[in-house]
């Protein structure tokens, strides 16, 4: 797939949870990309979707009836001063990796977050992970922190890095955050359909 003719994007729905878990399973079981040990249940995923979408976008990429990838932003830290900073996550079905789906998803995620007045995006990446690092560098993320052997999975210690990108100016006073339910639905839909 060299273009996005056959793919469409929409906000996640609670009923997507089972398909999203299916995409996530290999990441949990076979990689160090996520530090989760156990695959979350469908009910846990439903709760995650609900919690995230109470504030931020959770976007799925579909080809026909099949969900082939997803991305979302989540709270970076719980204290109010961090409200303008979010953590980004992205997962692509193994069969569809390398087909630019991640690029389309991240572009849409960033556009919506920009409308929400978010300023900083942070990606937490297991190190080494050249593929993810290159992907984020392509989106102008810069490495800002390196944590040594802070994660233990599959009988191995792993480093973790933070990469960061600014998408809005840091104004004083700061613009109020507009959470997803309060955003203009037509603007969100336009971004998803671009």
């Amino acid at each position: 797939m060299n273009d996005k003719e056959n793919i469409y994007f929409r906000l996640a729905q609670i009923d997507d949870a089972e398909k999203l878990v299916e995409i996530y399973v290999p990441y949990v079981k076979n990689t160090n990309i996520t530090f989760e040990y156990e695959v979350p249940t469908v009910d846990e995923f439903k709760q995650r979707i609900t919690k995230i979408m109470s504030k931020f976008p959770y976007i799925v990429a579909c080809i026909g009836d099949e969900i082939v990838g997803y991305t979302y932003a989540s709270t970076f830290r719980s204290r109010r001063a961090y409200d303008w900073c979010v953590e980004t996550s992205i997962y692509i079905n193994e069969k569809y990796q390398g087909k630019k789906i991640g690029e389309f998803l991240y572009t849409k995620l960033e556009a919506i977050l920009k409308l929400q007045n978010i300023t900083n995006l942070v990606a937490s990446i297991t190190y080494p992970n050249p593929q993810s690092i290159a992907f984020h560098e392509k989106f102008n993320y810069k490495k800002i922190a390196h944590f040594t052997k802070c994660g233990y999975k599959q009988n191995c210690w792993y480093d973790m890095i933070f990469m960061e990108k600014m998408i809005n100016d840091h104004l004083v006073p700061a613009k109020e955050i507009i959470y997803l339910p309060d955003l203009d639905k037509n603007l969100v839909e336009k971004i998803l359909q671009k």
Side-chain angles (χ1 to χ4, degrees), residues 70 174 180:
Y70 63 94
L180 184 66

Side-chain angles (χ1 to χ4, degrees), residues 1 3-13 16 58-64 66-71 90-92 99-109 112 188-194:
M1 175 189 323
D3 56 41
K4 59 179 186 175
E5 282 180 28
N6 301 320
I7 191 165
Y8 68 94
F9 304 88
R10 61 173 173 77
L11 292 177
Q13 301 163 356
D16 295 331
Y58 200 126
I59 304 168
V60 298
C62 303
I63 296 176
E66 183 180 9
I67 296 174
V68 297
Y70 63 94
T71 188
I90 187 165
Y91 295 95
I92 307 297
K99 300 183 185 298
K100 298 193 177 188
I101 293 168
E103 293 177 31
F104 295 137
L105 280 167
Y106 247 31
T107 299
K108 292 172 187 311
L109 180 69
I112 295 171
V188 171
E189 196 56 34
K190 280 182 186 174
I191 290 168
L192 294 172
Q193 299 310 315
K194 275 187 193 174

Side-chain angles (χ1 to χ4, degrees), residues 113-131:
L113 292 171
K114 193 169 174 113
L115 284 179
Q116 293 186 264
N117 297 322
I118 297 300
T119 56
N120 299 39
L121 308 181
V122 176
S124 172
I125 302 169
T126 305
Y127 186 89
N129 185 337
Q131 183 179 357

